[in-house]
Amino acid sequence: WRLLERDECSLYFLEKLVSKKRVYPLDGGPLPETRDFKKQRLFVDMDGTLAVFKPVDTMETLYEQGYFSGLEPHMNVIDGVKEYMSLHPDTEVFILSSVLSDSQYALKEKNEWLDKYIPEIDSAHRLFPPCGGNKTEYIPGGLRKSDVLLDDYSVNLHEWEPPAKGIKVMNGINGTKGSWKGDKIDFNMSSRSFAKKLACITEGREYIPDPLEMYTYKGETVAGELFSQQPLTFDNLTYEDKFDIVIETE
């Protein structure tokens, strides 16, 4: 037990085996303390990520009643986040969206919008820092290295990573300056592939695209570029899949 290499995958197997009472620490003590047992956390931006960014001519438009409640949804992103949540119920998912603190409509309308499109994330998991603020300063318990931010705005992502992990949602109008060199996800991906890529990035695994991946382009579903077939190897599997294989073949 004490001589086992303490990498992430080994620790996952040990935790599972102990929790299922298949093995026990030789000294009867607790699990190794080298791993952070706190929940994985995902923080999701709203404007430009879950919702379509709507340009305005003047700042006053942002203060008008109905601006935020009338934003169109990025349904592929919303459904992708929902699918990720259903496949990873142990991950704690938050909304992290900046709000105009001096607007009488913004906060109320954002909550109404979220209630309509993604009620799976309840009010207790919705964080609304003031516009212009550093999002990392409004994280419950402080920012952890394992925290993941899904956002369309590079400034937020650069403030987040390092020490944590940022993922940029490419929404069709951003990315013109190319300042973000980290992980990216396209909003046109199918919800299934979006959830799969989100999981791969969060877990530090390589994402292998489906060669017949379907994208939404100008309201139509079309086949994306065909990728070379890559064999599924043990290294490409999630920790959960690896554990199931080990248990089935023990």
Side-chain angles (χ1 to χ4, degrees):
W1 174 278
R2 295 189 181 281
L3 296 179
L4 281 171
E5 182 181 358
R6 300 292 176 81
D7 60 29
E8 189 76 9
C9 191
S10 297
L11 287 169
Y12 180 86
F13 291 147
L14 287 173
E15 292 166 21
K16 284 289 188 180
L17 290 169
V18 171
S19 66
K20 293 179 179 291
K21 298 183 178 180
R22 292 176 178 267
V23 297
Y24 299 86
L26 292 177
D27 59 1
L31 290 173
E33 296 179 357
T34 54
R35 177 182 169 96
D36 181 2
F37 292 101
K38 295 178 181 178
K39 277 189 174 183
Q40 172 70 56
R41 300 191 298 185
L42 171 66
F43 296 83
V44 184
D45 174 53
M46 179 177 168
D47 306 305
T49 300
L50 294 177
V52 178
F53 176 76
K54 185 166 67 175
V56 297
D57 296 326
T58 64
M59 283 294 294
E60 285 71 21
T61 304
L62 298 175
Y63 289 84
E64 294 177 358
Q65 185 175 9
Y67 174 82
F68 290 102
S69 62
L71 293 176
E72 294 295 321
H74 278 146
M75 288 310 303
N76 286 11
V77 179
I78 292 172
D79 290 340
V81 171
K82 288 182 179 181
E83 184 161 346
Y84 174 85
M85 292 174 66
S86 68
L87 295 173
H88 300 81
D90 291 337
T91 299
E92 195 170 11
V93 181
F94 294 81
I95 294 296
L96 183 60
S97 177
S98 298
V99 68
L100 296 167
S101 55
D102 56 346
S103 169
Q104 61 177 316
Y105 304 116
L107 182 58
K108 179 176 180 293
E109 291 189 2
K110 283 198 171 192
N111 272 307
E112 290 173 347
W113 192 96
L114 293 167
D115 288 339
K116 179 179 180 180
Y117 290 108
I118 189 163
E120 291 84 353
I121 303 178
D122 60 27
S123 59
H125 288 81
R126 299 176 187 177
L127 308 173
F128 297 102
C131 283
N134 186 329
K135 288 186 173 181
T136 64
E137 298 176 358
Y138 297 87
I139 305 304
L143 189 65
R144 304 173 191 162
K145 185 178 179 180
S146 60
D147 287 339
V148 177
L149 173 65
L150 192 63
D151 204 307
D152 69 305
Y153 188 37
S154 293
V155 171
N156 294 332
L157 295 164
H158 283 298
E159 291 173 343
W160 194 272
E161 180 181 332
K165 166 65 71 176
I167 305 173
K168 185 165 185 173
V169 174
M170 306 306 295
N171 59 19
I173 61 173
N174 62 353
T176 57
K177 296 180 179 179
S179 65
W180 178 250
K181 306 301 182 183
D183 291 302
K184 303 173 183 177
I185 298 185
D186 197 295
F187 80 114
N188 277 329
M189 298 179 75
S190 69
S191 58
R192 179 176 178 273
S193 293
F194 190 99
K196 177 183 175 183
K197 186 169 186 179
L198 178 57
C200 286
I201 295 174
T202 300
E203 298 171 6
R205 296 184 288 113
E206 178 187 4
Y207 171 67
I208 301 177
D210 185 333
L212 298 179
E213 169 63 58
M214 304 303 289
Y215 289 79
T216 302
Y217 178 70
K218 294 183 178 180
E220 298 184 4
T221 302
V222 297
E225 179 183 359
L226 293 179
F227 293 83
S228 59
Q229 292 281 0
Q230 299 187 48
L232 182 63
T233 66
F234 190 74
D235 290 337
N236 296 138
L237 298 176
T238 65
Y239 295 147
E240 290 86 348
D241 289 338
K242 290 177 180 178
F243 175 75
D244 289 340
I245 291 174
V246 171
I247 294 302
E248 290 299 324
T249 58
E250 64 175 350

